[in-house]
Amino acid sequence: MSGAAGPGSPPGAGLGPGVGRSPLPCAPRPAAALQLAGGAEPARPGVAVIDLRFPRGAAADVQEIVFRNFYTAFLSVRVQRPGARRWVTCLRDYRLMPCPHTERGSQDYFSLRRHQMLCDVAQVTAVRFILRQPSPVWVHFTIEELQLFPPGQKSPQKDFPSWLSQLTPPEHPPSLHGELPDPEKVSTQVQQMWVLTEVIRARQAAARVGRFDVDGCYDVNLLSYT
């Protein structure tokens, strides 16, 4: 039995339980199969319901719902508020298994967060989970390890090597402005070097011509004619 999400699993799959966090106190009832009126056999396609209430009728704010799937293909979530008898749907037919007839996603962990809900899940007194499995391949289906977490809790931080915390973040690269020379100063020095190079070339040319010079005049015998 694997809890890891495989390729093509729905968003939110493959997440483990909320280790290091404190879930809301609640006691979900076992999944009850939906039955036809006046009948003893469960209705098909398979539908089951899990009701969850908080102790002493207290209301709670729900930030995240974590559970492990067990062959449930689709999940709907409804909530009930204080003093209200009507159930409000906040999640409708959320797909847990890409294909109800295959194993993929059948035993994955799922995390449903507040922003995924269709309505506000603050101050709720009860939560109802409606499970649906249209495939006749799986007779038994439910969700396990069901936990609800309140807002304001952060995941526990992992220990990182000390050298990793000393690295410079990529969004703040080291400044090189103070280490670069002044562009105008560099330009002036380059021009001076260029002038010095021209002077050296001129002196070398004069030295080559000067070897034919005798007392300020050229020695005709030393000149070659072409």
Side-chain angles (χ1 to χ4, degrees), residues 205-220:
R208 287 194 298 269
V209 176
R211 68 179 183 271
F212 302 107
D213 185 13
V214 180
D215 295 333
C217 301
Y218 291 107
D219 189 347
V220 178

Side-chain angles (χ1 to χ4, degrees), residues 17 32 34 36 54 57 81 102 104 116 126 134-135 143 161 165 169 177 192:
L34 181 66
L36 293 173
F54 299 104
R81 306 188 189 281
T102 61
R104 183 179 299 175
Q116 298 175 264
S135 174
I143 56 176
S165 61
H177 180 71
Q192 292 176 355

Side-chain angles (χ1 to χ4, degrees), residues 12 18 26 31 47 109 133 137 173 182 209:
C26 56
V47 179
Y109 282 100
Q133 176 52 272
V137 177
D182 186 5
V209 176

Side-chain angles (χ1 to χ4, degrees), residues 58-136:
D61 295 343
V62 180
Q63 176 67 26
E64 184 180 7
I65 302 173
V66 177
F67 60 90
R68 185 179 184 182
N69 188 26
F70 187 79
Y71 295 94
T72 298
F74 302 94
L75 174 67
S76 296
V77 180
R78 295 180 178 178
V79 296
Q80 198 173 49
R81 306 188 189 281
R85 299 177 59 88
R86 187 173 64 92
W87 291 89
V88 180
T89 301
C90 58
L91 188 69
R92 180 179 287 108
D93 290 335
Y94 185 82
R95 182 182 291 272
L96 303 180
M97 297 173 62
C99 178
H101 307 286
T102 61
E103 289 271 354
R104 183 179 299 175
S106 61
Q107 299 181 56
D108 286 348
Y109 282 100
F110 287 84
S111 173
L112 303 176
R113 298 183 180 273
R114 197 165 187 165
H115 68 272
Q116 298 175 264
M117 303 299 175
L118 301 175
C119 66
D120 189 17
V121 286
Q123 292 299 295
V124 299
T125 56
V127 184
R128 173 169 290 176
F129 299 87
I130 303 175
L131 322 178
R132 199 158 60 85
Q133 176 52 272
S135 174

Side-chain angles (χ1 to χ4, degrees), residues 159-177:
D159 294 331
F160 294 97
S162 58
W163 61 267
L164 189 60
S165 61
Q166 299 175 359
L167 296 177
T168 304
E171 60 270 16
H172 298 290
S175 176
L176 300 177
H177 180 71

Side-chain angles (χ1 to χ4, degrees), residues 144-160:
E144 302 172 337
E145 302 178 38
L146 180 59
Q147 292 180 319
L148 279 65
F149 293 93
Q153 290 194 4
K154 296 181 180 180
S155 300
Q157 295 190 5
K158 300 178 182 179
D159 294 331
F160 294 97

